[in-house]
């Protein structure tokens, strides 16, 4: 019986880095149209049209005319369509020749050429179809299927098609688990982190971004500077002080780029938080908010992030005091007392800060939660729920469960009901909490 031979991964010379499509920088420039001042619009449009002309993006030019109101240049559009038709005909001829006269490797290269063409010109639907053909094709290595899946995922992120991106991430992760190499595994983590940021799951994104700081190679999706921006931005919210010091404040990879102008004001933000320079931290938030509104992945979450940063520093400041004068705290943050009063009141009312404000005395009194007391109330609440469940069981099982709850054994009792067994496990967990 003849064994089907998989198409191997083609090696690319180190000194040749082929361009990847779609152009994610173009997507970022187009996004800036939504927040740009009227005086900036003409310059941005001219910049975008220049890229469209250079990459012969007829479908994307049509998309820009419909969505962003670009002035239709019929001569340019006809020129782009003619160039696209000629190039696509040549690519299809190359595919036909490969199928008739060459091997599977040449056929796969021709299929990638067609898919890359559709991704380059901004034809979303045709690009999806072309990459699906590669993934569904037999005798294609897992590595090449992962490459096609990630390329299709880039198209989805280019057009902010989150539903398609979600499905592609699931399928790509399965492929990586089945046989992805180290580089593809790490690159997929960056794609997943970007998607998590779009979905406002910043905690999951932070973990993936921090893992990739020392191994970043996903330049087709974003630059290393942008990657560090995202990594610092998210991890500041979740890292404990020792980890923040080790991995962000003193991290060699972060220190290598964090002082670049395009990453302003991250150095002030990070050092302000770690060194308790709260006035500088608040000033940095003003600049940071402007930068966040220009980023296509994070702009919709800018208000949320700025609010979380404020809660973070308020909590850190109040942790050092049992009570503090409102004026003293306002001076530390470089803000007015009325503003701070309003801020703290709002966060206290929504249980985001464990404190209360003494209006008469003009001070903030911290109200740290008693963990033992909270644990006790949790046990009582869950115990009541369990007793309600036990009371609905048949009498023999009820007597056995009651005895079990008093003695807190380490093994489950024999029962004919799986439900009884599950309740036993819950009782044992409660018993361990009580022992603590």
């Amino acid at each position: 019986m003849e064994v089907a031979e998989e198409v191997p991964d083609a090696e690319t010379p180190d000194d040749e880095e082929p361009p990847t499509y779609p152009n994610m920088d173009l997507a970022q420039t187009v996004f800036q149209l939504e927040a740009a001042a009227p005086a900036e619009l003409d310059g941005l449009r001219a910049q975008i049209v220049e890229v469209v002309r250079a990459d012969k993006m007829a479908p994307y030019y049509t998309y820009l005319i419909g969505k962003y109101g670009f002035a239709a240049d019929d001569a340019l559009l006809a020129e782009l369509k003619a160039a696209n038709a000629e190039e696509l005909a040549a690519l299809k001829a190359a595919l036909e020749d490969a199928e008739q006269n060459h091997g599977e490797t040449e056929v796969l290269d021709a299929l990638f050429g067609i898919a890359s063409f559709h991704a380059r010109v901004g034809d979303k639907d045709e690009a999806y179809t072309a990459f699906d053909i590669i993934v569904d094709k037999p005798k294609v290595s897992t590595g090449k299927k992962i490459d096609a899946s990630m390329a299709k995922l880039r198209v989805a992120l280019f057009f902010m098609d989150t539903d398609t991106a979600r499905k592609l991430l699931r399928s790509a992760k399965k492929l990586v688990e089945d046989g992805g190499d180290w580089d593809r595994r790490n690159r997929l983590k960056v794609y997943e982190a970007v998607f998590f940021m779009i979905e406002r799951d910043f905690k999951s994104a932070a973990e993936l971004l921090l893992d990739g700081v020392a191994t970043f190679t996903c330049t087709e999706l974003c630059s290393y500077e942008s990657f560090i921006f995202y990594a610092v931005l998210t991890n500041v919210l979740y890292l404990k002080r020792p980890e923040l010091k080790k991995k962000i404040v003193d991290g060699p990879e972060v220190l290598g780029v964090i002082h670049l102008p395009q990453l302003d004001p991250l150095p002030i933000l990070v050092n302000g938080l770690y060194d308790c320079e709260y006035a500088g931290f608040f000033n940095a938030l003003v600049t940071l908010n402007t930068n966040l509104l220009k980023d296509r992945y994070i702009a919709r979450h800018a208000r949320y992030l700025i609010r979380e940063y404020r809660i973070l520093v308020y909590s850190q400041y109040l942790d050092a005091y049992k009570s503090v004068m409102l004026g003293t705290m306002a001076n530390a943050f470089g803000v007015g007392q009325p503003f701070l009063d309003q801020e703290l009141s709002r966060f206290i009312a929504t249980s985001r800060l464990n404190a209360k404000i003494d209006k008469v005395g003009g001070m903030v009194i911290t109200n740290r939660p008693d963990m033992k007391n909270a644990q006790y109330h949790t046990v009582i609440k869950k115990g009541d729920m369990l007793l309600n469940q036990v009371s609905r069981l048949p009498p023999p099982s009820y007597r056995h469960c009651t005895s079990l709850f008093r003695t807190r054994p380490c093994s489950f009792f024999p029962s004919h009901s799986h439900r009884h067994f599950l309740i036993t496990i819950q009782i044992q967990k409660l018993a361990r909490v009580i022992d603590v």
Side-chain angles (χ1 to χ4, degrees), residues 227-388:
F227 177 81
I228 292 296
F229 176 77
Y230 298 140
V232 174
L233 192 72
T234 54
N235 279 279
V236 161
L237 283 173
Y238 302 107
L239 289 182
K240 302 297 184 183
R241 285 181 63 82
E243 289 297 302
L244 182 68
K245 173 71 170 174
K246 178 182 178 182
K247 297 182 177 179
I248 302 296
V249 177
D250 292 338
E253 294 86 2
V254 175
L255 287 175
V257 297
I258 197 172
H259 294 285
L260 294 176
Q262 58 265 43
L263 295 188
D264 183 64
L266 286 189
I268 300 174
L269 188 83
V270 172
N271 293 319
L273 176 65
Y274 187 78
D275 297 331
C276 304
E277 295 289 343
Y278 299 115
F281 184 93
F282 259 45
N283 286 332
L285 287 182
V286 177
T287 305
L288 180 65
N289 184 62
T290 302
N291 294 345
L292 294 181
L293 291 173
K294 296 177 181 179
D295 189 281
R296 62 192 300 260
Y297 301 129
I298 303 179
R300 69 189 72 182
H301 311 305
R303 186 175 179 181
Y304 166 82
L305 283 170
I306 298 300
R307 182 176 70 245
E308 292 301 306
Y309 289 132
R310 299 203 307 272
I311 293 172
L312 175 67
V313 290
Y314 288 149
S315 298
Q316 178 173 294
Y317 181 89
L318 291 173
D319 280 346
Y321 298 94
K322 193 167 185 179
S323 64
V324 61
M325 297 299 296
L326 194 61
T328 302
M329 186 173 178
N331 290 335
F333 283 87
V335 297
Q337 190 169 323
F339 170 83
L340 184 62
D341 187 1
Q342 184 180 8
E343 281 264 285
L344 296 180
S345 298
R346 180 156 57 97
F347 294 139
I348 291 171
T350 55
S351 301
R352 298 303 306 277
L353 291 176
N354 295 310
K356 59 183 180 180
I357 299 176
D358 180 358
K359 288 280 190 179
V360 177
M363 64 174 55
V364 183
I365 303 170
T366 58
N367 182 25
R368 295 183 181 85
D370 186 344
M371 297 306 296
K372 275 288 183 183
N373 193 41
Q375 194 176 51
Y376 169 76
H377 284 291
T378 300
V379 170
I380 295 299
K381 182 178 179 180
K382 292 186 177 180
D384 286 341
M385 294 171 62
L386 270 177
L387 288 175
N388 289 335

Side-chain angles (χ1 to χ4, degrees), residues 9-29:
D9 293 349
E11 295 292 333
T12 301
D14 293 338
D15 56 346
E16 292 181 17
E17 184 129 353
T20 54
Y21 297 105
N23 186 341
M24 305 307 287
D25 291 335
L26 174 61
Q28 175 62 36
T29 306

